[in-house]
Structures are given as structure tokens and as C-alpha cells.
Amino acid sequence: MKCDSGGYEAELVLLQKQFESLLELCDEQGKLEYSISARVAHDLGERALFLAHVAPFYPNHLAHFPTKLADLLRRRARKLPSGLRFLLARALILLVNRKIVRVPDTLSLFMDLQTLGDSRLKVIAFRHVVHSIRRHHADYADLQNLLFNMLLQNQDTPSSPAQEELALRALLTLCELHRRKVWFDDTTADAICTASLYSAPKIMITALSFLLGYEKIEHNDDGGDDDDDSTIDDEITLSRETLYKANHQGTAASKKKKKAKLQRVIRSMKKQQRRASQQSNNSHYSPLNCLKDAWAFAMELFNRLKTCHERYEVKMMMMKVIALTIGLHRLILPGFYSFLQIYIQPYQRDITNLLAVTAQSCHDKVPPQVVEPLFKKIVERFVHDHSRPEAIAVGLSAVREICMRMPLLMNADLLQDLALYKKSHEKAVSTAARSLIALFREVSPQLLVKKDRGRPIDPKARPMAYGKINVLTDVPGAELLQIIDNDDEQESGKSDDSVCSDSDNDQENGQKRVNDEHETKDDHFISEDEYERGCDYETDGSDVEDYVEGMKDDLEDIEEADEVSECKEDDGVEAKSAMEEASKKRKFADLSGPLMIADSSLRALKKLAGTTGGDDQPESKDGILSEKEDFKRINELKVHEKRKKHSKEERLARVRAGREERGKYQARTAVKQKKTGGLSNRQKERKKRMPLAAKRDQVARSRIVKTKKNQCSAKQFRGRKAWK
């Protein structure tokens, strides 16, 4: 029938009549509330699937077939046998894939079929909805609104189990499409986050699970690789020999196999590059980033947490989502920290996750007095001498994570007490204490005792006060570019000096040429065109004459400084200072204005610009740092920046400065000799006279030990050495 549709019209009409008669029989049995017989169900399913296969070749005869099929599933889906429902759904999916039926017309039907409790039908309907939206979401913009209405129409009020199941299937569909980056927009992400406030516990738990496990799902995603390849701009380099063999060598079949193998290699290389880029990127995406009103969401979820009677695992999920929202959007929710104090106990279940929630909800925008009771309770309950080593290690790690985000919570006395745990014999405890010390070496070294500070990077570093903002006035690290450029200029200047020393005649000729130009251009320094251009800036002739006279004076001073430098090589410093004083007479700001100075001496203008154009910012053509080159170079310089080597005198001075608080070094024996009191008990024991019997006993014991030692040494003899 597919090859010759016109020759089999009679058979098609017969099959169509059989399908309609079976359909009427099914309706009559449904009205009489009889169950459909297995024979009728099998014949109806087989003919429906057959007609769906040949429907594209008989559009006139089967024009109403898709409508009858969809109406049957809408009216009688719950009362039909499981096998018949499955065959009818397959037939309708086939019609949608052949573009005989529009996707929006059957979307609500396939969403309803997922709520019937049939596992096979649920799987095939869910896959069809996801794949059809992936293919046609650009053509049908109203598909998203349909799913939003299914999800959020009964959010606050209690609904029937069927409506809850429909909302759950809509949520799962949205989560899958968002995970596959089909609907990767803020509206879909906000709808998923809002579903965690749903009145039905099943829907709420599903939304919370997706929000918490999104990063894990994202990294383990194997679906949608073909769609993501078009958005990756990775450059895949292949050898010319491989490309030539795949396109020009061998038969047609072998070349086809080589091309397919080449495409597999390219896909695997792209997948490896994508994974490497995901691992190098520290910033992880979460749907919570797209919340329209993050504070209202966190507050509503927290209010529900305080009043809900769900099991502890659900409460922990809610606390994790609240803490994640607070950390991402830097919210202030004071009641949340007091609520966490109820669960802060060493014997609490999942206490490590709870402490992670506590650390994640802390940031520098929260007032320290709000978190301080919770912080003190963690220290009191976990870090003390009667606690187990595991609890002490967990408590110290939690303190470090909280202080990393809010260093103002720590004071000197508490930090010094916690730092003493570095001497613990337990490896986990000492490691946690040393990590806390290492943190405060960078954040606030003055809180540590001197022996714990080591050599801090910045001894005067301290955390900013609460509410203080560090406003940047320049680009951080831009001075590194200038340092490197200055070093390059000094190296090039040395090479230029060596070249100039070999070409003194060229310098003299060039100086004479410059002097001749000055003499010939003093009278014609400003041309008529330049004077007319200067009139546009509302300048008169007196300003021009003053400007010309000033330029002449500057050039004469520079020439005098050059002559001094040529005549007296020993007085190079004086000549340089004279040149600087002469060039500073006219500010560089005076050069900007109405006049063009193209006719002036190029050498003189360069010297003027060199003496007055000093700036802290790096030199660039337009004063703007390029994102790809300059900032990349700044990051490299920050990583590979070399420290300045100190001389021996500077190193000794630093060592002596560190010993100022110590006293003068004295040996231990010298300290003992200066003791003003009497002898110690140990010294007195050495001077005691032993009784005669004790002395004889000691001599006999030493003789026995010596004899045994000699006997053992004789038994251990194993031959003479070869070199004796």
C-alpha cells in the first residue's frame, strides 16, 4: 500500500469499515458498562496502528481518522484495557511524528494519559511529550503556557488526586526540558522554584529534589549532546592525512565508514572539551538564580518550614534550599539562624549537612550580632575537651567555613583557644585547627599569637567593618602591566645606549638638523590653516603669540640641556635634572587646544610628552583595556609574579626586627647555672651516698649484664669480612 497506494484503495476501505464497526461496538459496550472483550480490543488496536502507518498515503480517505482516535482516548481512556490504550497511544504518536496531527492538539491528552497509573503508557507518553516539544518548541509558543497552567492552577487550594498527579507530571516535564536546556529561560526556572511552595507534599518534594540535585543532574546529563554541539565553538583540529583518507581513499562504502568514524571522534573530542570547561568553571548554575522575588520565596518557604509536620529529611531539604537562596541572593533572614539553633547538637542526624547549611547561609551582608549566638553554640557544643575527636574536627571545620564568609565573628581570645588544638594527637583535629590558623593568616593576622602568624602576606590585613564597601578607583592589577612595560623600556633603553655609543656622528648630524629646523621654523611656526582652525575654539592672536613664545623657550631650554649632556658626560645627573626642569615649564594640558603642532620638532615634543605624561595607568592606544589580551595578561602576571629579591642586609634586618620582642638568647645550661635557689631533687639524688650493699649489688648487676652481652655477641658471629 505504501508503494502503490492507488492499487489498494479497496483494501483500505475494508480496513476502515472494520475499524469503525469495532469502534461502535466498543462504544456500545461502554454504555452498557460491560468490559470490552479481549478479541475486540486486540482487533481494534491492530487496525488502528495499521491505519496510522498508511495515513500519509491516503490523506482523503483517512482525513477524520486522527480525530476519532483522539476522541476515543479522551472519552474512554480509563475504562479501556491496558494493551488497547498502549496501541492507540502508539498510533496517535505515529500520526504526530508524521505531522498529520499538531502537537498542541494532543499535548493535554498525553499529559492526561500519564495520570492513569499505567507504567508502560506513562513512559511512552512522557517521552513523546519531551521529544515533540524539543522538536517543535520554536513553532508553538503556547506549549509553555499550557504546562504552566497545569502546574500552577491549583497551587494554594487542595485539589483532587487526579489534578495533583497532572501537576506532578507537568512539573517533571518542565524539569526535564529545563535540564536538557530546551526551555532554559527565567520563566521556566521561576515556575519550577515556585512549585516548591505547592500545597501537595509530593509536588513540593519533587521540586526541592530538582533544585538541590540540579548540578549533579547537569554534570551527569548524557541526553541532548547533539543539540548542544551546535552551541560549542571549540576548535577541533584533525590531521590532513586523516581527512584525505576519509574523503578520497578507498571505495564508497569504506569512505562512508571512515567519515562515520571521523564524526564519532569529533563528537567525543567535543564532549571531552565540554567536560573540561565545566570542571574549570567554578560558577555553577541553579534555577534559584532566576527567582523574580527571592526574598519573598525564601520567607514563604521558611514560614512553611516552621509549621510543617513532614519527616526530618523533608525539613532538611527545605533548609538546604533556603540556605542556598540566601547565599545566592545575599538575603537577610534573621529568624532562620535562630531556627537552626534547635538542631545544632553533636548527636543530631545529618549534622554535617546541617553545619554546611549554616555556613552556606552566612555572608558579609548579614549583621554579625544575628549569627553570633549560633556561632557560639557551635563552638560550645562541638569544640571542648570532653567532646569526641570527630565532633571537634567537624566543629573546627564549621567554624572555619563560617569565618571565611564572616570573619568579624571571631575574636582574639577565642581564636587563640581554638588554635591550641593544632597540638592534638588526632590527625583530623590538628588538621582542622591548622586550616583555621592558615585562614586567619590571610584575613586577620593580628588575632593570632606571633608564633602562629608565620610570614603573612599582608601583616596589616584586617576584615572590613560591617556595611563598609570597597569602591575600586582603577582596574585591579593594571599596575602590573606598567611595571612590565617599564622593564621592557629599560632593557630597550640599554640597548639603545649601546647603539648610540657606536653612532656619535649620526647624533651630531641629527642635532644639527634639528637646530636648523628650529631656526627656519621660528618665523613660520603656525600656518594659516592652523590659525583658522584655532579660531574655531574662540582664541585670539595674543594667545597664539604667547603659545608660540612659550614653545620657543621650551625648545631653547631643551637644546641647552642637550648641549650640557654632550659636553659633560660626568655630570649626567645634572643634565637630566636640567632637562626635566626645562620640560616642566609648560604643562601638558596647555598643549591640548586649538593649535596643531605638527610643524614643531618631533624630538622636542617627544621629550615634552615623556616628562609630563607620567601616569599610574598602563599605556595603551586608547586608554581602554581589552578583555581578551590585557586582562588575560594581568591574570598571568598575578600568577607568575616574581618577588623582588632582598639583599643580605635587608634579610638580616627583617630577622632582627622579628627578634625584638624576644630576650637575649641563652643556653639552657647557662640559665640553670644562674639559678638563685637551691638544687633540684634530681641534682640532690646524684650527690647522695649509696649504702655499701647497694653499691655491691649494682656492681654485680653490671657484671651480669656485661657477661650476657658478650655471650650474645659471640653467637651473632657470621664469618669474617671479606675485606679484612
Side-chain angles (χ1 to χ4, degrees):
M1 293 177 73
K2 291 181 179 180
C3 295
D4 186 11
S5 57
Y8 292 90
E9 289 186 2
E11 287 80 357
L12 176 68
V13 172
L14 179 61
L15 288 171
Q16 188 177 5
K17 289 181 179 180
Q18 291 177 358
F19 171 76
E20 291 177 355
S21 62
L22 290 171
L23 190 61
E24 292 178 359
L25 181 60
C26 181
D27 290 337
E28 292 295 332
Q29 290 180 355
K31 290 179 182 179
L32 297 175
E33 297 182 356
Y34 292 151
S35 60
I36 300 175
S37 61
R39 183 66 181 174
V40 173
H42 180 268
D43 293 342
L44 181 60
E46 291 293 334
R47 280 159 179 75
L49 190 60
F50 185 85
L51 292 176
H53 274 283
V54 299
F57 304 96
Y58 299 96
N60 297 326
H61 294 80
L62 299 177
H64 302 286
F65 171 70
T67 306
K68 295 178 180 179
L69 197 61
D71 291 340
L72 177 61
L73 286 173
R74 284 193 182 94
R75 289 185 291 105
R76 303 289 307 280
R78 293 188 178 275
K79 296 181 179 180
L80 292 177
S82 175
L84 178 58
R85 278 200 307 255
F86 185 75
L87 291 177
L88 294 178
R90 284 183 57 191
L92 191 58
I93 290 172
L94 189 60
L95 294 174
V96 175
N97 293 337
R98 299 287 177 85
K99 296 183 179 180
I100 300 175
V101 181
R102 296 174 70 252
V103 176
D105 298 340
T106 58
L107 180 63
S108 59
L109 173 60
F110 281 102
M111 294 299 297
D112 292 333
L113 291 177
Q114 298 179 42
T115 63
L116 300 179
D118 192 345
S119 59
R120 286 198 309 165
L121 184 61
K122 183 185 295 185
V123 171
I124 192 174
F126 179 75
R127 289 180 179 177
H128 168 67
V129 169
V130 172
H131 288 294
S132 60
I133 292 177
R134 285 182 62 189
R135 293 173 185 172
H136 308 288
H137 70 94
D139 300 333
Y140 306 109
D142 54 344
L143 297 177
Q144 198 172 16
N145 295 328
L146 290 175
L147 290 177
F148 288 166
N149 294 332
M150 294 179 187
L151 175 62
L152 303 175
Q153 62 183 354
N154 296 316
Q155 179 179 357
D156 300 327
T157 59
S159 54
S160 62
Q163 291 177 344
E164 290 183 4
E165 186 67 23
L166 181 62
L168 177 62
R169 302 312 301 178
L171 175 61
L172 291 174
T173 306
L174 288 174
C175 292
E176 183 68 16
L177 293 172
H178 189 75
R179 184 180 68 87
R180 291 178 178 269
K181 298 184 179 180
V182 179
W183 285 343
F184 202 66
D185 54 343
D186 297 348
T187 308
T188 306
D190 186 73
I192 295 172
C193 296
T194 309
S196 59
L197 305 174
Y198 211 93
S199 58
K202 187 186 295 185
I203 300 174
M204 180 191 69
I205 294 172
T206 303
L208 293 175
S209 302
F210 178 76
L211 293 176
L212 293 175
Y214 184 83
E215 295 178 1
K216 182 179 178 181
I217 292 172
E218 186 180 19
H219 292 306
N220 295 334
D221 184 17
D222 294 329
D225 290 338
D226 298 336
D227 297 339
D228 296 340
D229 288 342
S230 59
T231 60
I232 295 176
D233 295 328
D234 298 331
E235 295 181 358
I236 305 299
T237 57
L238 299 173
S239 61
R240 297 177 60 185
E241 183 180 1
T242 304
L243 294 173
Y244 182 79
K245 287 181 178 180
N247 294 308
H248 300 286
Q249 284 188 355
T251 61
S254 63
K255 285 191 287 187
K256 186 176 180 181
K257 292 181 180 179
K258 291 176 184 177
K259 288 181 181 178
K261 184 178 180 181
L262 195 61
Q263 292 297 326
R264 290 196 299 270
V265 171
I266 291 174
R267 283 196 298 269
S268 65
M269 292 173 69
K270 286 185 178 181
K271 190 179 296 184
Q272 292 176 1
Q273 289 183 358
R274 190 186 304 109
R275 290 174 181 172
S277 63
Q278 288 178 356
Q279 293 176 359
S280 61
N281 189 12
N282 296 326
S283 59
H284 297 288
Y285 170 81
S286 175
L288 293 170
N289 289 328
C290 304
L291 281 170
K292 297 178 181 178
D293 192 351
W295 189 88
F297 170 78
M299 195 65 192
E300 188 173 354
L301 189 60
F302 177 57
N303 292 332
R304 183 169 184 182
L305 173 63
K306 291 188 292 186
T307 57
C308 74
H309 301 284
E310 299 291 337
R311 59 186 187 273
Y312 178 73
E313 291 82 6
V314 179
K315 291 183 178 180
M316 179 60 68
M317 293 172 65
M318 297 172 73
M319 285 189 283
K320 286 182 179 180
V321 172
I322 294 171
L324 187 60
T325 309
I326 292 174
L328 287 174
H329 297 274
R330 304 172 73 83
L331 305 175
I332 299 176
L333 203 65
F336 182 66
Y337 304 99
S338 59
F339 179 81
L340 291 176
Q341 295 185 33
I342 304 172
Y343 300 95
I344 296 298
Q345 299 290 345
Y347 53 82
Q348 180 66 46
R349 186 174 52 175
D350 295 336
I351 186 61
T352 54
N353 292 334
L354 190 62
L355 292 175
V357 166
T358 305
Q360 197 170 26
S361 62
C362 296
H363 54 85
D364 55 353
K365 301 297 182 183
V366 180
Q369 60 270 19
V370 174
V371 192
E372 189 174 3
L374 178 61
F375 181 74
K376 288 183 178 179
K377 189 169 183 179
I378 292 174
V379 176
E380 292 173 359
R381 296 291 176 88
F382 288 86
V383 189
H384 56 85
D385 295 337
H386 298 286
S387 182
R388 293 180 300 171
E390 298 84 2
I392 297 175
V394 169
L396 289 173
S397 301
V399 168
R400 180 184 179 276
E401 292 297 325
I402 295 174
C403 291
M404 186 186 299
R405 294 163 173 83
M406 298 181 66
L408 294 174
L409 292 172
M410 184 63 71
N411 53 43
D413 297 335
L414 177 59
L415 181 60
Q416 291 170 13
D417 292 341
L418 297 179
L420 293 177
Y421 283 95
K422 68 179 182 180
K423 299 179 182 179
S424 175
H425 297 291
E426 296 290 336
K427 182 71 173 178
V429 176
S430 60
T431 303
R434 292 180 187 277
S435 64
L436 182 63
I437 294 172
L439 171 65
F440 278 92
R441 281 180 182 176
E442 299 179 1
V443 176
S444 182
Q446 69 274 5
L447 296 180
L448 295 165
V449 296
K450 187 173 180 181
K451 62 181 180 180
D452 290 336
R453 293 176 194 170
R455 286 188 178 180
I457 299 174
D458 187 5
K460 298 181 181 180
R462 61 185 59 196
M464 291 189 298
Y466 175 71
K468 187 177 180 181
I469 300 175
N470 186 15
V471 180
L472 298 176
T473 58
D474 56 356
V475 179
E479 65 277 0
L480 297 175
L481 294 176
Q482 188 179 10
I483 293 172
I484 299 301
D485 294 339
N486 292 337
D487 294 340
D488 297 340
E489 289 178 1
Q490 290 178 1
E491 293 177 359
S492 62
K494 292 179 181 179
S495 61
D496 292 341
D497 293 340
S498 61
V499 173
C500 292
S501 62
D502 297 333
S503 58
D504 294 336
N505 296 328
D506 296 339
Q507 270 190 347
E508 295 177 359
N509 296 332
Q511 182 64 31
K512 290 179 180 179
R513 192 180 302 110
V514 171
N515 293 335
D516 295 339
E517 290 177 357
H518 295 337
E519 293 175 359
T520 55
K521 293 185 178 181
D522 283 344
D523 297 332
H524 305 285
F525 189 76
I526 302 174
S527 63
E528 296 178 357
D529 295 335
E530 294 164 0
Y531 182 77
E532 292 175 359
R533 194 176 295 112
C535 294
D536 296 337
Y537 294 90
E538 298 180 0
T539 58
D540 52 1
S542 62
D543 296 336
V544 175
E545 291 176 0
D546 294 340
Y547 182 79
V548 173
E549 292 298 331
M551 286 298 298
K552 288 180 181 180
D553 295 338
D554 292 342
L555 295 175
E556 290 175 1
D557 294 335
I558 292 170
E559 292 172 2
E560 292 176 2
D562 291 338
E563 292 175 1
V564 171
S565 61
E566 291 177 359
C567 296
K568 297 180 180 181
E569 295 178 354
D570 298 335
D571 300 333
V573 179
E574 298 178 359
K576 186 176 180 181
S577 62
M579 186 185 300
E580 291 178 356
E581 292 177 359
S583 61
K584 288 180 180 178
K585 288 183 179 179
R586 301 292 291 178
K587 293 183 178 179
F588 186 77
D590 296 335
L591 295 178
S592 63
L595 301 177
M596 296 291 292
I597 53 175
D599 296 333
S600 63
S601 172
L602 182 60
R603 182 178 178 184
L605 294 178
K606 283 185 177 180
K607 289 185 177 180
L608 281 175
T611 55
T612 60
D615 195 1
D616 294 337
Q617 293 297 331
E619 297 178 1
S620 60
K621 295 181 180 179
D622 52 358
I624 300 174
L625 299 178
S626 61
E627 184 177 359
K628 293 184 178 179
E629 298 178 0
D630 293 332
F631 285 96
K632 184 178 179 181
R633 192 179 177 193
I634 288 173
N635 294 331
E636 293 176 355
L637 291 175
K638 284 181 179 179
V639 175
H640 304 290
E641 186 182 3
K642 296 181 180 178
R643 293 184 178 180
K644 181 181 178 181
K645 292 184 178 180
H646 298 282
S647 61
K648 186 177 181 180
E649 292 78 8
E650 293 175 348
R651 292 197 300 271
L652 288 174
R654 292 180 62 186
V655 172
R656 293 192 186 99
R659 293 178 179 175
E660 289 178 355
E661 299 179 3
R662 300 181 186 176
K664 187 178 180 180
Y665 175 76
Q666 291 180 345
R668 197 170 185 179
T669 55
V671 174
K672 288 182 179 180
Q673 289 175 0
K674 290 182 180 180
K675 188 174 181 181
T676 58
L679 299 177
S680 63
N681 292 335
R682 186 174 295 179
Q683 291 173 345
K684 291 177 181 178
E685 286 178 359
R686 292 177 182 174
K687 293 186 178 182
K688 280 184 179 180
R689 289 190 177 184
M690 298 178 63
L692 183 61
K695 286 185 178 180
R696 290 177 179 174
D697 187 34
Q698 185 179 10
V699 171
R701 253 189 278 113
S702 63
R703 189 184 297 114
I704 293 172
V705 171
K706 190 180 294 184
T707 304
K708 288 183 178 181
K709 185 177 181 182
N710 292 334
Q711 291 176 358
C712 292
S713 63
K715 290 181 180 179
Q716 291 177 355
F717 178 73
R718 303 188 187 281
R720 298 183 180 276
K721 295 180 181 179
W723 57 84
K724 285 188 177 181

